[in-house]
Amino acid sequence: MSDPQSRREYIRDIATKATKDDHPSRWFEQVYTTAEGESAAIPWAQMQPNPHLLAWLDKCDRPSPSQRALVVGCGLGDDAEALVERGYQVTAFDISPTAIAWCQERFPNSSVEYQVADLFEFAQTHSQAFDLVFECRTIQALPLTVRQPTISAICQLLAPEGTLFLITNVREDEAEPDGPPWPLSERELQQIPQQGLQEIQRRRPSGTNRPTLCLEYRRVP
């Protein structure tokens, strides 16, 4: 399935079917296994750190040696490795065992703690455990039926005064979008402050043809 358009249609088909499943994120493993080691078959795998994350980190103070960072839905690991290079103690998880094995193969000497985990279970066992949580387009990859609990679980991971840095596509109205992905609406973004987080900044990055927002939140002490 080397044709990019065919690959996108295939992914959209299995993701749409997963919305009827009792576990709507299970389709990620199918994407990684059918890629058969070809990163070009993973549409979101850029094989380099997200440039919006790097730009944000460039404006931040260097963390203390004890500060812990988490990458939600880490994919093939580039963002996690960027955070380690900036000085964080990094944990990164993905629901796909194939993705995590791929990370460990790519970065065999990494200090990142790569884990296979389900977000909802991980949030229960790591409540308020991280000083920085990075989430890039994972929320929008899950259907609207689980949006509120997904947002709640991600916010639950933040330590007091911890920071959430979020990159997501957005939509202009509340109508249910045709996905995947399912971009977030402003009303859905407002669920984040309802979890005890304060919005610090938001910006629309230039140089992208997608309606993208980068948002920074901090947990109110």
Side-chain angles (χ1 to χ4, degrees):
M1 198 181 302
S2 58
D3 175 58
Q5 182 62 33
S6 298
R7 184 70 183 174
R8 282 193 294 269
E9 291 174 357
Y10 163 73
I11 291 173
R12 175 166 285 204
D13 181 59
I14 62 172
T16 300
K17 289 177 180 176
T19 64
K20 304 177 179 64
D21 191 4
D22 61 350
H23 205 307
S25 58
R26 232 176 239 139
W27 63 275
F28 286 106
E29 172 66 0
Q30 188 174 347
V31 172
Y32 284 106
T33 55
T34 57
E36 298 180 335
E38 293 292 334
S39 62
I42 311 295
W44 52 85
Q46 301 302 309
M47 308 306 283
Q48 60 185 2
N50 188 294
H52 306 316
L53 172 63
L54 295 181
W56 181 75
L57 287 170
D58 285 341
K59 297 178 181 179
C60 296
D61 294 334
R62 192 166 182 86
S64 69
S66 63
Q67 284 191 289
R68 300 185 64 194
L70 175 72
V71 181
V72 176
C74 66
L76 297 185
D78 295 281
D79 296 326
E81 297 300 323
L83 288 169
V84 159
E85 290 182 8
R86 297 300 174 111
Y88 285 98
Q89 296 181 27
V90 180
T91 300
F93 75 86
D94 202 285
I95 198 167
S96 166
T98 300
I100 294 300
W102 204 332
C103 290
Q104 293 167 334
E105 180 180 341
R106 291 185 68 205
F107 306 107
N109 300 314
S110 175
S111 64
V112 175
E113 183 182 352
Y114 287 108
Q115 297 185 26
V116 179
D118 170 85
L119 169 62
F120 303 109
E121 296 174 0
F122 190 88
Q124 292 298 316
T125 56
H126 294 77
S127 182
Q128 299 192 17
F130 298 95
D131 303 290
L132 170 64
V133 173
F134 175 58
E135 192 286 294
C136 180
R137 299 192 172 97
T138 300
I139 299 172
Q140 70 178 45
L142 300 175
L144 270 61
T145 54
V146 294
R147 182 134 301 172
Q148 193 281 328
T150 299
I151 290 172
S152 177
I154 289 172
C155 293
Q156 184 179 347
L157 294 160
L158 270 183
E161 300 189 56
T163 297
L164 168 65
F165 185 57
L166 171 68
I167 300 174
T168 185
N169 290 355
V170 292
R171 66 185 196 272
E172 298 302 323
D173 57 44
E174 298 301 324
E176 182 168 353
D178 180 26
W182 296 273
L184 278 73
S185 70
E186 183 59 35
R187 182 180 296 174
E188 289 167 336
L189 286 172
Q190 289 308 311
Q191 294 177 23
I192 297 175
Q194 294 169 11
Q195 299 295 319
L197 276 63
Q198 177 183 3
E199 183 176 318
I200 303 301
Q201 64 170 323
R202 66 168 64 193
R203 67 180 183 89
R204 288 184 180 268
S206 58
T208 176
N209 58 2
R210 292 185 287 187
T212 299
L213 272 182
C214 297
L215 302 111
E216 179 183 345
Y217 298 88
R218 191 158 299 135
R219 179 175 289 286
V220 178

